[in-house]
Amino acid sequence: MCEINGLFCQISIGLPIQQKTGIGVLVMSSNDLEKEVGIPAAAEAAVDDFEPDPTTIPIWSKNLVLAILCSMCIGLAGQMLNPTLPLYTVEIGFPEQMAGIMLTAFSIGSLLFRPIAGQLVDYIGRRKMVLCGSLLVAFSFLLYLMSTNFYMILCVRVMQGIGFCLTNTGIGTVASDIIPKARITEGIGYYALAGAISMTVGPAVGLELKNMFSMRGDFIGGLLLASICIVASRFISYEEKLKTRKPGEKIKISLFEKTSLLPASMIFTATVAQTSLTAYLALYGRSIGLEGVSSFFLFTSVGTICARAFAGKVTYRLGEKKVLWAAVLVTTCCFFAVSFAKTMPVLIAIAIVYGFGYGVLYPVTNAMSIRNAIPENRGAANATYSASFDLGTIVGGSVWGIVVANLNYPWMYRLAAVLTLFIIPLTLIYQRKFVEWR
């Protein structure tokens, strides 16, 4: 409603203009309005085409804070066990080569359940699956306290992978539901901070608890964190858009969300390349006589956290394609630099820059993966995207092992750099499919 020269008018496409008079309401057309007050009829369409600045749309809410809290708690619970569970396996009398199976079992359990988790989140509900997943994680920590047999621990680890899969898929879909679409990249960046912080703090907390209280400290700590996630998820409240089915109709399980395949392929490529660092950097450091190589990941996380804090605003100003290409080129250069690094100061500098690049790459591709999915399919979209991490970790660990056996560590990192560049043609294919993307 607006007032022009004493006339009260409603400007909207397809609606007549109404003038209040002493005897009623006079309906005026756009042409009449132009004659009466000198306003071009085209202004009517211009008003309708007006789009507010996305940065003025509120992004923070109680639900987003609770989603971040849930993600951080469940992430910490998982990361605490990554360095300590293999040690515990050896301590109870099993060989070192069996210790690595614990990490693989978790990834396999998570990966195999992803398609089912996505459908359950879309059909049954996001919050219900977060609750079920965190209850399963909490129960797995209870079982750890009672387990002394390797194979029992292995089964619990697979079950825990399924619980984490349900929780992460559910809470990630909650975040994509409640973040305004116009600020999805920025919002996902803030949400992803929880994962970056848990990756940084979790292993250190896990090792410290083990040193102070043995593995029982880790198991009880994980149980408490899962319990916080359970309580926090109960306070998330919003209207979920779920898939509907006719009475008696079975839930159709689809392996992936088609609109998310290209962004998932991008992060899969990045994860395969990143596995060369997470799995083999310590061995590379030992081979060239470097001590304290583990600090590389601490500084990587610092760069990642800093990048995710402002990645969304930069993306809004420059466009996703430019920012994504810059992130790809930065991470590519970092892999090349690692292959030539011989001192810790150089490696730490590379770690910070790499953290910036990867910290931008994740929220951009994550936003791309859910933007074109209909609300009822966001669970499947998040599951497709998350599965690419699990698959990338499994593939990367195997592929780089073969590369090292046949070449050497420097060549492994140079090949990882070349692999990262393949993300750029994937973005061009994505742009052809979704022409509005910039």
Side-chain angles (χ1 to χ4, degrees):
M1 189 73 72
C2 63
E3 181 178 359
I4 305 175
N5 293 341
L7 297 176
F8 291 84
C9 55
Q10 182 178 351
I11 302 179
S12 177
I13 288 181
L15 294 179
I17 310 302
Q18 299 179 348
Q19 177 184 352
K20 292 185 178 180
T21 66
I23 57 174
V25 177
L26 175 65
V27 178
M28 301 176 65
S29 68
S30 299
N31 292 332
D32 292 336
L33 178 65
E34 181 176 359
K35 294 177 182 178
E36 183 73 24
V37 296
I39 301 297
E44 184 178 351
V47 172
D48 189 71
D49 289 340
F50 173 74
E51 295 183 2
D53 182 357
T55 58
T56 63
I57 301 174
I59 193 171
W60 288 100
S61 64
K62 178 199 75 172
N63 288 332
L64 182 57
V65 172
L66 290 171
I68 291 173
L69 176 62
C70 288
S71 178
M72 186 176 298
C73 287
I74 213 69
L76 281 172
Q79 292 294 330
M80 281 166 48
L81 295 186
N82 283 345
T84 56
L85 202 56
L87 293 174
Y88 179 62
T89 304
V90 175
E91 288 173 1
I92 60 176
F94 294 93
E96 290 185 4
Q97 53 265 37
M98 298 183 73
I101 298 176
M102 289 297 174
L103 301 180
T104 305
F106 180 89
S107 296
I108 290 175
S110 179
L111 176 62
L112 294 179
F113 202 73
R114 286 288 180 190
I116 300 173
Q119 298 302 316
L120 291 175
V121 166
D122 284 336
Y123 276 102
I124 297 177
R126 288 80 155 111
R127 289 167 293 174
K128 290 180 180 178
M129 288 303 102
V130 173
L131 178 62
C132 290
S134 25
L135 282 170
L136 193 58
V137 171
F139 183 60
S140 69
F141 279 109
L142 285 174
L143 291 179
Y144 278 134
L145 289 168
M146 298 181 286
S147 302
T148 55
N149 181 278
F150 173 81
Y151 297 101
M152 185 176 181
I153 296 174
L154 191 64
C155 291
V156 174
R157 190 62 171 159
V158 174
M159 182 182 75
Q160 193 173 51
I162 294 172
F164 274 92
C165 170
L166 267 177
T167 307
N168 289 332
T169 303
I171 204 66
T173 309
V174 167
S176 61
D177 283 344
I178 61 181
I179 295 171
K181 190 173 181 180
R183 300 184 70 181
I184 190 70
T185 304
E186 182 180 356
I188 290 295
Y190 293 136
Y191 170 75
L193 279 172
I197 293 171
S198 63
M199 286 180 64
T200 305
V201 178
V205 171
L207 288 169
E208 189 64 27
L209 286 175
K210 184 179 183 302
N211 292 335
M212 294 174 64
F213 306 107
S214 76
M215 277 303 293
R216 291 183 65 86
D218 275 340
F219 296 150
I220 294 173
L223 176 61
L224 291 175
L225 287 167
S227 300
I228 293 173
C229 182
I230 292 169
V231 174
S233 68
R234 302 302 295 161
F235 289 94
I236 297 175
S237 177
Y238 72 101
E239 184 179 354
E240 300 180 15
K241 294 183 179 179
L242 305 178
K243 284 184 177 179
T244 57
R245 56 193 178 98
K246 298 176 182 178
E249 181 184 1
K250 294 182 179 180
I251 295 178
K252 296 179 181 179
I253 304 297
S254 58
L255 294 178
F256 50 80
E257 165 62 29
K258 292 181 180 179
T259 61
S260 301
L261 280 179
L262 283 170
S265 299
M266 296 173 201
I267 204 64
F268 166 78
T269 304
T271 304
V272 171
Q274 187 186 39
T275 306
S276 66
L277 294 170
T278 56
Y280 294 98
L281 187 64
L283 294 172
Y284 175 49
R286 184 186 301 174
S287 70
I288 59 176
L290 283 181
E291 298 292 335
V293 173
S294 59
S295 61
F296 178 93
F297 302 104
L298 173 63
F299 286 98
T300 296
S301 298
V302 170
T304 299
I305 291 170
C306 293
R308 289 180 180 175
F310 63 83
K313 293 181 179 179
V314 174
T315 301
Y316 170 70
R317 294 176 184 275
L318 301 179
E320 285 183 344
K321 185 171 76 172
K322 290 180 180 178
V323 171
L324 184 57
W325 281 20
V328 169
L329 293 175
V330 165
T331 52
T332 298
C333 292
C334 288
F335 281 117
F336 271 118
V338 168
S339 72
F340 295 103
K342 301 297 180 183
T343 64
M344 276 309 300
V346 171
L347 208 57
I348 288 173
I350 294 171
I352 296 173
V353 177
Y354 177 80
F356 266 87
Y358 190 79
V360 170
L361 194 149
Y362 173 86
V364 172
T365 53
N366 197 352
M368 292 164 62
S369 72
I370 60 178
R371 180 181 293 113
N372 298 295
I374 60 174
E376 293 82 0
N377 282 357
R378 282 179 183 158
N382 273 290
T384 301
Y385 187 78
S386 298
S388 64
F389 282 99
D390 302 323
L391 188 60
T393 301
I394 294 171
V395 171
S398 303
V399 168
W400 298 128
I402 296 171
V403 170
V404 168
N406 289 275
L407 296 172
N408 54 39
Y409 290 110
W411 272 107
M412 176 184 68
Y413 290 114
R414 291 162 198 161
L415 289 175
V418 173
L419 177 65
T420 305
L421 286 174
F422 277 90
I423 296 176
I424 291 180
L426 289 173
T427 64
L428 296 176
I429 298 172
Y430 182 87
Q431 188 173 30
R432 288 184 63 183
K433 189 172 182 179
F434 303 102
V435 293
E436 73 281 358
W437 184 67
R438 67 176 184 89

